[in-house]
Amino acid sequence: MESSRQEEAKSRYEEYMEAGLKMFPPFKGYGLKLIQFAIDEPELYRIHFMGRDDMSTSDYLKEKVEIDKILPCISDSLELNAREARWLLTNMAFYALGMGNLLANSSCFMSDAEICRNLGSVCRGLMMQLKAAKDERVEIIPEEKARELGNLEEYITGKKKLIIGYSADREMFRIRLDAVLYFEAVGEKVFAYTKRHVYEIRQRLYQVEEQVKPFAFVRASKSLLVSIKKISSVMPEPGGRGRLQMINGETVIASRAYYKNITDALKDPAI
């Protein structure tokens, strides 16, 4: 009887895992579906993930998380090497398992919206840790010169079309604007998203908007600026909102107040 329940729990986990890996980015989808497993079927979640305490971390990742099955999808979708993919997935799994354990034991009192928001912040933080693609960067700004830099506006002038961004380890870079998919405000911080990476932009979103508007960036919501040139498709949503698919496969939501402006801009032959 116990063996059949363990097999059932393993099978159900794999169904959630496969569903998450079909999302983009798949490491975020995996984390989301792992947490969903804990919410939907807490007993099976506990049987699969919380039944033993004598396993090493590596054995746990191999046997319970089934990390070797997941890694190829993470690596291929984000063009990561094996080390980067394992690091990314391991950290996501640890976060999602921690959240899942709380939920499965009815010890978490966060709303669904709060869980999704926090998961998004974790994803952004993990992506910032990865080494940025070289073609997004013009140059690294030496630490001794950082104090001499002006504000963002001084770097988005003329033909440069550059923006100052910071990696997770506080390295400062000049990044090409044509590599940026969108800017997002998260709390008091603003982040720039490229195809693979995330950089912190030390400006308010309205300040960024004023300066990048000439380069085909438009407001999509109170917390989001998108590059019109990086939208591959749009789909209307209930309530007048719109789903925007970016060229890397990621989707973001445009609010009702801004969706029409985006569709009008997409029709503009000058952009």
Side-chain angles (χ1 to χ4, degrees), residues 115-162:
I115 291 172
C116 288
R117 186 162 55 247
N118 287 346
L119 181 64
S121 296
V122 170
C123 290
R124 286 185 286 272
L126 291 176
M127 290 302 291
M128 286 183 69
Q129 291 288 335
L130 292 176
K131 185 177 180 180
K134 294 180 180 179
D135 61 355
E136 295 171 357
R137 300 169 170 178
V138 175
E139 62 181 309
I140 298 175
I141 300 172
E143 179 66 25
E144 61 270 17
K145 291 187 178 180
R147 297 177 186 175
E148 301 173 10
L149 291 171
N151 59 27
L152 173 66
E153 186 174 8
E154 295 175 10
Y155 288 91
I156 308 180
T157 57
K159 297 181 180 179
K160 290 185 176 180
K161 300 182 182 179
L162 306 176

Side-chain angles (χ1 to χ4, degrees), residues 12-21 23 26-42 45 48-49 60 64-65 70 89-101 103-104 115 119:
R12 290 296 289 144
Y13 162 66
E14 290 175 346
E15 291 176 14
Y16 280 89
M17 174 184 74
E18 290 171 4
L21 294 178
M23 302 171 69
F27 84 97
K28 180 179 180 180
Y30 169 77
L32 184 64
K33 289 299 182 180
L34 179 55
I35 292 171
Q36 193 67 50
F37 179 36
I39 294 173
D40 294 345
E41 305 189 56
Y45 177 95
H48 185 67
F49 286 114
Y60 188 89
K64 296 297 184 180
V65 175
I70 306 172
L89 179 58
T90 299
N91 280 278
M92 171 52 69
F94 285 159
Y95 172 80
L97 285 166
M99 182 64 70
N101 290 354
L103 289 162
I115 291 172
L119 181 64

Side-chain angles (χ1 to χ4, degrees), residues 42-187:
E43 182 182 357
L44 292 179
Y45 177 95
R46 289 194 297 269
I47 290 172
H48 185 67
F49 286 114
M50 303 172 68
R52 291 179 57 183
D53 58 6
D54 59 344
M55 298 178 70
S56 67
T57 299
S58 60
D59 287 343
Y60 188 89
L61 288 171
K62 185 175 182 179
E63 295 182 25
K64 296 297 184 180
V65 175
E66 300 183 44
I67 191 170
D68 292 331
K69 287 185 178 180
I70 306 172
L71 283 174
C73 179
I74 304 297
S75 179
D76 293 345
S77 65
L78 296 175
E79 299 180 359
L80 303 177
N81 61 39
R83 181 187 59 79
E84 291 172 330
R86 180 173 289 274
W87 179 88
L88 186 63
L89 179 58
T90 299
N91 280 278
M92 171 52 69
F94 285 159
Y95 172 80
L97 285 166
M99 182 64 70
N101 290 354
L102 291 173
L103 289 162
N105 286 324
S106 301
S107 300
C108 178
F109 304 100
M110 298 170 64
S111 67
D112 290 347
E114 289 174 317
I115 291 172
C116 288
R117 186 162 55 247
N118 287 346
L119 181 64
S121 296
V122 170
C123 290
R124 286 185 286 272
L126 291 176
M127 290 302 291
M128 286 183 69
Q129 291 288 335
L130 292 176
K131 185 177 180 180
K134 294 180 180 179
D135 61 355
E136 295 171 357
R137 300 169 170 178
V138 175
E139 62 181 309
I140 298 175
I141 300 172
E143 179 66 25
E144 61 270 17
K145 291 187 178 180
R147 297 177 186 175
E148 301 173 10
L149 291 171
N151 59 27
L152 173 66
E153 186 174 8
E154 295 175 10
Y155 288 91
I156 308 180
T157 57
K159 297 181 180 179
K160 290 185 176 180
K161 300 182 182 179
L162 306 176
I163 189 169
I164 299 300
Y166 296 81
S167 64
D169 56 7
R170 299 182 181 179
E171 276 192 301
M172 187 182 292
F173 300 92
R174 292 187 177 99
I175 305 160
R176 297 198 334 265
L177 270 181
D178 61 8
V180 178
L181 305 180
Y182 61 91
F183 296 93
E184 183 181 27
V186 181

Side-chain angles (χ1 to χ4, degrees), residues 200-229:
E200 182 181 351
I201 308 298
R202 296 182 180 176
Q203 297 278 326
R204 298 289 188 179
L205 191 63
Y206 77 88
Q207 294 172 312
V208 176
E209 180 180 22
E210 291 174 358
Q211 296 162 50
V212 303
K213 195 177 290 185
F215 305 107
F217 283 87
V218 297
R219 179 78 70 158
S221 70
K222 290 183 178 179
S223 61
L224 194 67
L225 288 171
V226 299
S227 170
I228 289 295
K229 296 180 179 180

